[in-house]
Amino acid sequence: MSQNTEKRQHIAIVGGGAAGMSCAATLARHLDIFKITLIEKEAVVGGQATSIPLNAQQHGASWMNNGVQGGSGIFKHTFHFFRQYGHPAQEVRLQVSFGKGKDRFWTNCFPSPLVKQFDSDIKRFGTFLKVIKWSLPVLGIVPISIMLRVFLFSKDFGDKMVYPLIALFLGTGNQTASVPSGIVERLFNDPNMKLWDYDPETLLPNLPTMYTFDRLHDFYSAWREDLTSKGVSFALETEVQETVSRSKNNVILKLRDIHAKESREESFDKVVFCSLADETLRILGKKATWREKFVLGGASFYDDITVTHTDSSYFNEHYETSFKKELCAEPTSEAQRKQIAFSSPADSNGGDGFRPMYYTYTYDSNPRLIEMSFNCTNYQHQFRQPDVSNKRAPKPVYQTIFLDKNRKDLWTIDKIDKGQIIKKNWWHQLGHRWIHYLRVVPNMMFIQGRSSTYFAGSWTLVNMHEVACVSGVAAAYRMGADYEQFDDFATDFFSKYLLLSHGLMFSRQEKKRGNAKSHSQ
């Protein structure tokens, strides 16, 4: 090993999800400067972005993605990594089915009586979004439930339309009422964050473009293999038990192979925690500063369970899964007549028709609390390529998500036929409560880089795969790696995240680095 190689900074990356892998990939472009060890307690990388095998003869596909399904067009960094390894995301037209029954159901596919009922509320919601935008960050931190009351929206409008919409796409689950209004406004208006455009007639636009991810297991495996070939070390099935010591130039971590009884201590120049905030605090233990305890302690997590199953009877009982005339309001425009024609069963054989991907179910006792589901057969692209040799119609695959185990007394999980369950997965999910945007998001910059420690993960802002990727890249950039500018939109998103989470202006940093390089030549 050369003298130059011996002087490389040894970086520990804790966590092999999207943030950890993005950080490792960005640092790996400078292996003359960095020695990289990624530590992951699971046997594979990818975090929540996993895949599970299926019986192809039974379901029409040999795999399905689990934990992470897809994203919107803003996922530039995610798609960039996918393309590098031959796993491009596939375009789909988003279809949703909210609620059950004529008095609760609405969709973005055709006009419904509920949308007609809340016509004035939907139109005023546009004004609401403008006021929140003008008043950021003052009113932006106020929970959406309070602001809806202040603006005199009907309770049913919030319970039946606003909360289910936010919960489903932001992943806020049963904490939706506590989500700050500013995040809701950003999801509609911020070019870098919005998942959909506000529609003054239907709230959610008709069939917006979304993307379904390719096989996540294969993608993350290929990504790891490539980084390994470049010199990145992966310590899989390895637990970080505690932080032994930290200083300005050194971090010592106590590690344990999950198959061994003995622990070991390893020394690193810097560490990037790409683990969840509460897990990071556990690892830091007594070595956590008061600032880190205040910031990381502001992130709340909830335990949810996803059940992958094939129980169509359960699904039809709890959701509106097909076009019904009584669920459709009288059209008032040519566009609405076309929507109804598109959604009707007569067109479904041509590949169109009402085939929802996302669903929500609300509880009678508390309509602000929900269950969520996916019809994965309608959503994930591999199911849309039927095997003509298989004469049997494929059996649909569903995923139903039951939120917050502390409210499991409300769950309908026991109604799913146990014989039709493929898999159960517990997830530890971020709740985007208002306190998160008061303590965590604006204060991340004050703990980054102190005591040779950095933090990354979607929890630093909002729970999206794209944010996780950008956070990992930003941590690597902060340590001295270059940012690869491949798309103007992506660069703008990265710049805003870098300023928010690290307190650095990208343009100034690039100018400083350019001057430093010119002086060194």
Side-chain angles (χ1 to χ4, degrees):
M1 187 177 288
S2 67
Q3 185 177 3
N4 184 52
T5 303
E6 291 285 359
K7 293 182 179 180
R8 293 185 301 169
Q9 295 183 58
H10 192 183
I11 310 298
I13 299 173
V14 180
M21 292 295 287
S22 299
C23 183
T26 306
L27 292 173
R29 292 200 290 268
H30 307 278
L31 289 175
D32 57 325
I33 303 174
F34 303 108
K35 177 183 177 182
I36 308 151
T37 299
L38 189 149
I39 306 164
E40 168 57 49
K41 62 183 178 181
E42 301 296 335
V44 297
V45 295
Q48 291 189 5
T50 61
S51 305
I52 58 179
L54 295 176
N55 184 321
Q57 284 292 109
Q58 203 172 44
H59 304 295
S62 61
W63 61 274
M64 63 171 285
N65 286 331
N66 184 36
V68 177
Q69 301 285 335
S72 75
I74 69 171
F75 284 34
K76 300 292 185 179
H77 295 84
T78 298
F79 298 158
H80 184 61
F81 285 125
F82 282 177
R83 287 192 295 268
Q84 289 181 26
Y85 297 97
H87 292 274
Q90 303 292 319
E91 184 176 309
V92 295
R93 294 292 178 180
L94 176 67
Q95 295 193 31
V96 294
S97 174
F98 294 105
K100 175 72 173 175
K102 188 176 180 180
D103 63 333
R104 289 188 179 181
F105 167 79
W106 68 285
T107 179
N108 68 324
C109 297
F110 56 85
S112 67
L114 195 68
V115 170
K116 296 292 184 183
Q117 177 186 340
F118 295 126
D119 179 70
S120 61
D121 284 314
I122 293 172
K123 286 181 169 57
R124 287 197 302 116
F125 195 74
T127 303
F128 166 80
L129 292 174
K130 290 179 182 178
V131 173
I132 297 300
K133 181 178 182 180
W134 295 334
S135 62
L136 287 173
V138 179
L139 293 182
I141 201 67
V142 180
I144 183 67
S145 59
I146 294 176
M147 291 307 298
L148 288 180
R149 291 201 300 270
V150 169
F151 278 78
L152 303 178
F153 286 103
S154 67
K155 182 179 182 298
D156 278 352
F157 175 64
D159 291 347
K160 296 179 180 180
M161 294 197 72
V162 177
Y163 298 144
L165 179 64
I166 299 169
L168 192 62
F169 291 100
L170 192 58
T172 52
N174 289 339
Q175 285 69 52
T176 301
S178 298
V179 171
S181 301
I183 292 299
V184 178
E185 187 275 332
R186 294 289 82 189
L187 290 175
F188 278 100
N189 293 329
D190 188 338
N192 295 120
M193 284 185 62
K194 68 178 181 179
L195 298 178
W196 58 81
D197 293 310
Y198 160 71
D199 190 298
E201 292 187 359
T202 57
L203 192 60
L204 178 65
N206 179 246
L207 303 177
T209 300
M210 293 285 282
Y211 294 85
T212 175
F213 296 158
D214 202 6
R215 190 170 185 170
L216 290 170
H217 176 81
D218 289 355
F219 160 69
Y220 272 99
S221 295
W223 201 0
R224 180 177 65 84
E225 289 173 6
D226 180 53
L227 294 180
T228 300
S229 69
K230 291 177 178 177
V232 176
S233 297
F234 285 85
L236 301 181
E237 298 183 287
T238 301
E239 178 188 10
V240 183
Q241 293 184 301
E242 64 175 299
T243 302
V244 178
S245 66
R246 288 192 297 168
S247 67
K248 187 177 180 180
N249 301 305
N250 179 257
V251 177
I252 297 178
L253 300 176
K254 186 176 181 180
L255 310 178
R256 183 181 71 88
D257 186 306
I258 63 172
H259 298 296
K261 294 182 179 180
E262 296 183 357
S263 301
R264 67 185 187 276
E265 293 183 2
E266 289 197 21
S267 177
F268 304 92
D269 295 297
K270 295 175 181 176
V271 61
V272 186
F273 284 105
C274 298
S275 44
L276 296 179
D278 54 353
E279 173 68 3
T280 300
L281 271 180
R282 182 197 66 77
I283 295 172
L284 288 173
K286 295 180 180 179
K287 303 302 178 182
T289 65
W290 69 266
R291 284 192 181 91
E292 290 168 339
K293 291 177 181 177
F294 175 79
V295 177
L296 302 184
S300 299
F301 295 86
Y302 300 85
D303 293 318
D304 308 332
I305 187 171
T306 296
V307 180
T308 305
H309 63 95
T310 60
D311 192 346
S312 295
S313 296
Y314 169 88
F315 221 73
N316 292 330
E317 179 184 348
H318 289 81
Y319 305 103
E320 298 294 353
T321 61
S322 59
F323 181 86
K324 300 174 185 175
K325 192 172 183 180
E326 63 268 25
L327 297 176
C328 186
E330 284 294 323
T332 58
S333 66
E334 181 60 28
Q336 290 186 353
R337 278 187 281 273
K338 289 182 178 179
Q339 292 171 10
I340 294 172
F342 170 91
S343 302
S344 63
D347 288 337
S348 62
N349 291 330
D352 295 327
F354 183 54
R355 296 182 173 182
M357 307 160 181
Y358 290 82
Y359 299 79
T360 62
Y361 171 83
T362 57
Y363 301 110
D364 291 334
S365 59
N366 191 335
R368 292 187 180 182
L369 304 183
I370 68 171
E371 295 173 358
M372 305 186 297
S373 284
F374 300 103
N375 183 327
C376 300
T377 302
N378 286 352
Y379 189 5
Q380 296 186 25
H381 65 272
Q382 71 275 16
F383 292 103
R384 300 197 301 273
Q385 302 166 356
D387 181 1
V388 294
S389 64
N390 187 2
K391 297 181 180 180
R392 294 184 300 173
K395 195 172 186 178
V397 182
Y398 311 107
Q399 285 194 324
T400 302
I401 306 172
F402 300 95
L403 304 162
D404 188 2
K405 70 177 182 181
N406 294 321
R407 298 309 308 268
K408 64 190 303 182
D409 57 302
L410 298 172
W411 292 358
T412 64
I413 189 170
D414 291 333
K415 293 186 177 182
I416 299 177
D417 182 353
K418 292 181 174 59
Q420 298 194 60
I421 293 176
I422 297 173
K423 192 175 181 65
K424 291 183 178 180
N425 291 96
W426 281 97
W427 310 105
H428 198 52
Q429 297 280 33
L430 174 69
H432 301 71
R433 298 173 59 85
W434 65 272
I435 195 71
H436 186 82
Y437 296 91
L438 186 65
R439 285 175 57 177
V440 182
V441 176
N443 293 301
M444 285 302 305
M445 67 175 72
F446 301 113
I447 63 173
Q448 297 279 19
R450 293 176 178 268
S451 300
S452 306
T453 304
Y454 300 83
F455 306 91
S458 61
W459 60 266
T460 59
L461 182 56
V462 64
N463 191 24
M464 296 181 187
H465 191 279
E466 176 67 4
V467 172
C469 287
V470 172
S471 70
V473 174
Y477 180 83
R478 179 74 183 273
M479 289 184 287
D482 289 334
Y483 174 71
E484 178 189 7
Q485 298 190 49
F486 62 91
D487 178 273
D488 291 342
F489 183 94
T491 300
D492 184 51
F493 190 9
F494 171 79
S495 301
K496 290 177 178 176
Y497 180 87
L498 187 70
L499 179 62
L500 179 63
S501 192
H502 291 268
L504 299 179
M505 292 188 66
F506 179 64
S507 56
R508 288 185 182 178
Q509 290 299 116
E510 288 301 283
K511 187 175 181 179
K512 287 181 182 179
R513 294 186 184 201
N515 291 337
K517 288 180 180 179
S518 63
H519 288 311
S520 65
Q521 292 175 352

